[in-house]
Amino acid sequence: MTIYDISEKAGVSIATVSRVLNGSSNVSEKTKKKVLDVIRRYEYTPNAFARGLGLNTMKTIGVMCADSSDLYLAKGVYYIEQKLRDNGYDSLLCCTGYELAPRAAAMDLLINKKVDGIILVGSNFVYEKESDNRYIADAALQVPVMLLNAELDAPNVYSVVSDDFTSIYGATLEMIQSGISDIVYFYNSTSYSAQKKLAGFVAAMEEQKLSAGAESCQFYRGSHEDIPAMAEHLKKLHDKGVSFHGVIASDDTLALAALKYARQMGFSVPEDFSVSGYNNSLLAMCSEPELTSIDNKLETLCQHLIGTLMGVLNGNEMPKKTVFSGETIKRGTTR
Amino acid sequence: MTIYDISEKAGVSIATVSRVLNGSSNVSEKTKKKVLDVIRRYEYTPNAFARGLGLNTMKTIGVMCADSSDLYLAKGVYYIEQKLRDNGYDSLLCCTGYELAPRAAAMDLLINKKVDGIILVGSNFVYEKESDNRYIADAALQVPVMLLNAELDAPNVYSVVSDDFTSIYGATLEMIQSGISDIVYFYNSTSYSAQKKLAGFVAAMEEQKLSAGAESCQFYRGSHEDIPAMAEHLKKLHDKGVSFHGVIASDDTLALAALKYARQMGFSVPEDFSVSGYNNSLLAMCSEPELTSIDNKLETLCQHLIGTLMGVLNGNEMPKKTVFSGETIKRGTTR
DNA sequence: TTGAAAGCGCTAACAC
DNA sequence: GTGTTAGCGCTTTCAA
């Protein structure tokens, strides 16, 4: 069933059918009804490919993330998919892992599929080395690229971020003021956002004349899901003679690992040992006591990101960067 | 840059360019190289919409799930996306929630977008009432529909499931044999798969001459993420005078809630109280002690599902239903 | 082995 | 307010 069949059965031209289909105003109520009747009777729906060919868009946005099963990224993807749909767009999902090469390849794929825009979910898409970010700038030559929780200064690239520096800075300060001075910052990423967080920790510590040297900044490399291994990392640190009674984690998983470590050591939390997480994910409710964690307002970020993208697609001038602040959700792992 | 430009620059016809593009055999090595050179020089890539119009496919699969931020469903979506990409297909993601109407709407949308197939991730897509499943059978009239962890007998619908009945049956039996007889089954879904699980529990209990009445089968309605509320549900049950020292949960979240309840009651786990979860998700590692949970081999299921879909798309006869068995991963919450 | 030409089903400029 | 027609960029017969 094509537009020709409908036009024939309705006794009008294909142009009229097309007008009805696209809600054009210049059609008399009478013919409109006539056409609509035929369309409904035959359950006709226009061919999306033909339409795409003519309009050069199929109202699809490419959504890339390292790993859509990661608790935090999954939430991001979820919100974004919802809000895109609300705006009449579909989401083409691409899980790329954390390496550069497959990401660049995925980008090419998306652009060849003629998506109207690309959204990168997660700060890990922006690398430290400037030249590694060429793949983003290149893609932005073709379609707008939106970064969730990452920043990159390039034409047609837009960023919506949470103020990670300030959030971690605040959490660290609070922990210090609660009377703990031997704090370890525990992280597993070197992305732009991760660097901001680290800087927030260091700033707060130094401001309070506390050491924030290599030993207090613990980088964990390994699976993002292997909590026992993360706990083991802290145990080894302790065994090396480093003493600490507080952990600021860059992620709820790492915070949970810190909690596991504390329990293994026989510390009671939060009396002897404090832990602060990040993301305020489901995990924060899983432990006993429940995790103090920083909520970075992911849904707000996503909402804003989609708003910005829609603006860009409509040809409006939109802000290149928007910053929201996070909020500490205090629960049982801090005093 | 179109196929015409390339054909002109290469001094051949568009048909030849098309042949080269599609790896047709009937092109001399010499012209092939000539065309390929031009293509590379101009970085030409064919227009996907035009191609879609001609071939009537853009190699895209619709992936529906209730909520891609749900820990379990997210893993499913993740594996499926990966394996589809390995086979040269893209994933159009649709998060539909748990209601029928938006699901039927999403299906129409996907079909109108001319996806080559539809995958439903999660047992919740199949409803108890037969007529509510018409939306699936209808969609299957247009494209193959694959069900992950759900079953529906209709033409062009294929199921890949884990044997939930046997898994729960086994877990229940084991708990009984460990010396616990007052066991509560704790669940939050009435999907087909959920019913199988429930049946597994009831079968094991009755076989051991234990009661599996209304009080031992606790249905929790409410947010799938609100662990404290779930724990509260069990607390209320206890306050009503129901005594129980074991919980078989249909989900790791519910199991964690049971653990929280046990802790609130001052039970020590697993000495006084046993808990068994389901899905063997990240959550199983979060608690102390870690959760005994049933691994339903999600990745294997997904792998098989995609294999079946690819077979169907290639016109092969494929099995309508495939069953894998689960495996109990014993950790610290059971004796 | 190659080329010419007829679609694929729609949109939109233009004419009436 | 409605119809005619020229694309959009590709695939695929059919001839040569």
Side-chain angles (χ1 to χ4, degrees):
Chain A
M1 184 81 18
T2 75
I3 201 171
Y4 290 95
D5 301 320
I6 300 296
S7 77
E8 192 179 319
K9 291 183 203 301
V12 298
S13 75
I14 58 162
T16 301
V17 178
S18 178
R19 288 193 189 97
V20 171
L21 244 23
N22 296 293
S24 165
S25 48
N26 301 330
V27 189
S28 77
E29 272 307 314
K30 203 173 141 195
T31 35
K32 187 172 180 176
K33 166 159 278 170
K34 192 168 58 180
V35 171
L36 243 25
D37 277 354
V38 177
I39 287 179
R40 269 194 281 268
R41 178 152 66 256
Y42 292 92
E43 294 190 335
Y44 162 77
T45 58
N47 181 305
F49 297 148
R51 191 169 224 171
L53 184 55
L55 296 176
N56 202 31
T57 164
M58 269 179 65
K59 298 262 255 173
T60 305
I61 303 292
V63 178
M64 293 175 55
C65 81
D67 173 359
S68 70
S69 78
D70 173 277
L71 213 46
Y72 180 68
L73 301 177
K75 269 262 187 284
V77 169
Y78 174 74
Y79 289 134
I80 281 174
E81 194 274 340
Q82 298 267 303
K83 293 171 203 308
L84 279 177
R85 185 165 307 287
D86 291 346
N87 286 277
Y89 283 81
D90 281 327
S91 306
L92 213 44
L93 179 64
C94 273
C95 305
T96 62
Y98 293 87
E99 302 295 320
L100 177 56
R103 287 176 167 190
M107 260 203 175
D108 285 348
L109 245 166
L110 287 177
I111 286 175
N112 283 333
K113 275 237 173 166
K114 299 212 147 253
V115 296
D116 299 303
I118 294 181
I119 301 176
L120 305 185
V121 179
S123 61
N124 55 75
F125 278 97
V126 174
Y127 297 96
E128 286 179 85
K129 217 167 104 193
E130 187 132 357
S131 62
D132 284 349
N133 296 322
R134 276 282 297 282
Y135 77 107
I136 300 179
D138 285 350
L141 261 30
Q142 319 283 329
V143 294
V145 176
M146 314 297 301
L147 306 183
L148 177 60
N149 253 323
E151 272 182 71
L152 186 71
D153 188 19
N156 213 21
V157 175
Y158 298 82
S159 302
V160 179
V161 302
S162 181
D163 185 356
D164 297 317
F165 176 93
T166 305
S167 296
I168 289 284
Y169 175 88
T172 308
L173 208 60
E174 238 174 280
M175 196 175 283
I176 296 171
Q177 282 162 354
S178 82
I180 303 172
S181 54
D182 48 353
I183 305 178
V184 161
Y185 179 69
F186 197 25
Y187 65 114
N188 64 355
S189 163
T190 57
S191 70
Y192 184 81
S193 144
Q195 288 178 52
K196 290 266 182 182
K197 292 182 190 173
L198 177 56
F201 171 75
V202 172
M205 292 292 276
E206 291 185 343
E207 208 174 282
Q208 301 293 313
K209 315 280 183 233
L210 294 171
S211 142
E215 282 180 338
S216 355
C217 298
Q218 284 297 313
F219 180 73
Y220 166 80
R221 44 170 50 78
S223 159
H224 287 211
E225 297 213 333
D226 193 347
I227 295 177
M230 299 171 188
E232 186 58 30
H233 181 109
L234 293 178
K235 180 67 168 36
K236 279 202 185 120
L237 183 65
H238 167 267
D239 291 346
K240 271 201 320 203
V242 179
S243 153
F244 56 101
H245 293 82
V247 168
I248 302 279
S250 71
D251 178 281
D252 284 341
T253 342
L254 292 164
L256 242 33
L259 213 56
K260 191 178 277 282
Y261 161 78
R263 190 149 280 135
Q264 285 167 2
M265 297 293 294
F267 293 137
S268 62
V269 176
E271 293 76 11
D272 311 333
F273 197 93
S274 287
V275 178
S276 175
Y278 209 102
N279 288 346
N280 192 33
S281 65
L282 172 62
L283 297 184
M285 315 293 274
C286 290
S287 60
E288 204 66 42
E290 291 174 8
L291 209 55
T292 293
S293 186
I294 290 162
D295 187 334
N296 49 10
K297 311 288 182 56
L298 187 55
E299 187 166 8
T300 306
L301 298 188
C302 292
Q303 180 75 57
H304 200 88
L305 183 143
I306 299 302
T308 306
L309 176 56
M310 292 303 129
V312 172
L313 291 177
N314 291 327
N316 303 326
E317 196 64 34
M318 301 303 283
K320 292 278 291 173
K321 177 178 169 184
T322 319
V323 183
F324 288 89
S325 34
E327 182 189 356
T328 302
I329 309 295
K330 206 166 157 28
R331 298 205 184 78
T333 57
T334 54
R335 302 199 284 242
Chain B
M1 183 80 19
T2 75
I3 200 171
Y4 291 95
D5 300 321
I6 300 296
S7 77
E8 192 180 318
K9 291 184 204 301
V12 299
S13 75
I14 59 163
T16 300
V17 178
S18 177
R19 288 192 190 98
V20 171
L21 244 22
N22 296 292
S24 165
S25 48
N26 300 331
V27 188
S28 76
E29 272 308 314
K30 203 174 141 194
T31 35
K32 187 171 179 177
K33 167 160 278 170
K34 191 168 56 178
V35 171
L36 244 25
D37 277 355
V38 177
I39 287 179
R40 270 194 279 269
R41 178 151 67 254
Y42 292 91
E43 294 189 336
Y44 161 78
T45 59
N47 180 305
F49 297 148
R51 191 168 224 174
L53 185 55
L55 296 175
N56 202 31
T57 166
M58 269 179 62
K59 298 262 255 174
T60 305
I61 302 292
V63 178
M64 294 175 56
C65 81
D67 172 359
S68 69
S69 77
D70 173 277
L71 212 47
Y72 180 67
L73 301 177
K75 269 261 187 284
V77 169
Y78 174 74
Y79 289 134
I80 282 174
E81 194 274 342
Q82 299 267 304
K83 293 171 202 309
L84 279 177
R85 184 165 309 287
D86 292 345
N87 285 278
Y89 282 82
D90 280 328
S91 306
L92 213 45
L93 179 64
C94 272
C95 305
T96 63
Y98 294 87
E99 302 295 320
L100 177 56
R103 286 175 168 191
M107 265 216 170
D108 285 347
L109 244 167
L110 287 177
I111 287 176
N112 283 332
K113 274 236 173 166
K114 298 211 149 256
V115 295
D116 299 304
I118 294 182
I119 300 176
L120 305 185
V121 179
S123 61
N124 57 74
F125 278 97
V126 174
Y127 297 97
E128 286 179 86
K129 216 167 105 192
E130 188 131 357
S131 63
D132 284 350
N133 296 322
R134 277 281 296 282
Y135 77 106
I136 299 178
D138 285 351
L141 261 30
Q142 317 284 328
V143 293
V145 176
M146 314 297 301
L147 306 182
L148 178 59
N149 252 322
E151 272 183 70
L152 186 71
D153 188 19
N156 213 21
V157 175
Y158 299 82
S159 303
V160 179
V161 301
S162 181
D163 185 357
D164 296 318
F165 176 93
T166 305
S167 295
I168 289 284
Y169 175 88
T172 309
L173 207 60
E174 238 174 280
M175 197 176 283
I176 297 172
Q177 282 162 354
S178 82
I180 304 173
S181 53
D182 48 354
I183 304 177
V184 161
Y185 179 69
F186 197 26
Y187 64 115
N188 64 355
S189 162
T190 57
S191 71
Y192 184 82
S193 143
Q195 287 178 53
K196 291 266 182 182
K197 292 182 189 173
L198 177 57
F201 172 75
V202 172
M205 290 293 274
E206 291 185 342
E207 208 174 284
Q208 300 294 311
K209 314 279 184 231
L210 294 171
S211 144
E215 283 180 337
S216 354
C217 298
Q218 285 297 313
F219 180 72
Y220 165 81
R221 44 170 50 77
S223 159
H224 286 211
E225 296 214 333
D226 193 346
I227 295 176
M230 299 172 188
E232 187 58 30
H233 182 110
L234 293 178
K235 181 68 170 35
K236 281 201 184 119
L237 182 66
H238 168 266
D239 291 347
K240 272 200 322 200
V242 179
S243 153
F244 56 101
H245 293 82
V247 167
I248 302 279
S250 71
D251 179 279
D252 285 340
T253 343
L254 292 164
L256 242 32
L259 213 55
K260 190 178 279 282
Y261 160 79
R263 191 149 279 136
Q264 285 166 2
M265 296 293 293
F267 292 138
S268 61
V269 177
E271 291 77 11
D272 310 332
F273 197 94
S274 286
V275 178
S276 175
Y278 209 101
N279 287 347
N280 193 32
S281 65
L282 173 61
L283 297 184
M285 314 294 274
C286 290
S287 60
E288 203 65 41
E290 292 173 7
L291 209 54
T292 293
S293 186
I294 290 162
D295 187 334
N296 48 11
K297 310 287 180 55
L298 187 54
E299 186 166 9
T300 306
L301 298 187
C302 291
Q303 179 75 60
H304 201 87
L305 184 143
I306 299 302
T308 305
L309 175 56
M310 293 303 129
V312 172
L313 291 177
N314 290 328
N316 303 327
E317 196 65 35
M318 300 303 283
K320 293 278 290 173
K321 177 177 169 185
T322 319
V323 183
F324 287 90
S325 34
E327 181 189 358
T328 302
I329 308 295
K330 204 163 159 30
R331 297 203 184 79
T333 58
T334 54
R335 303 198 283 243

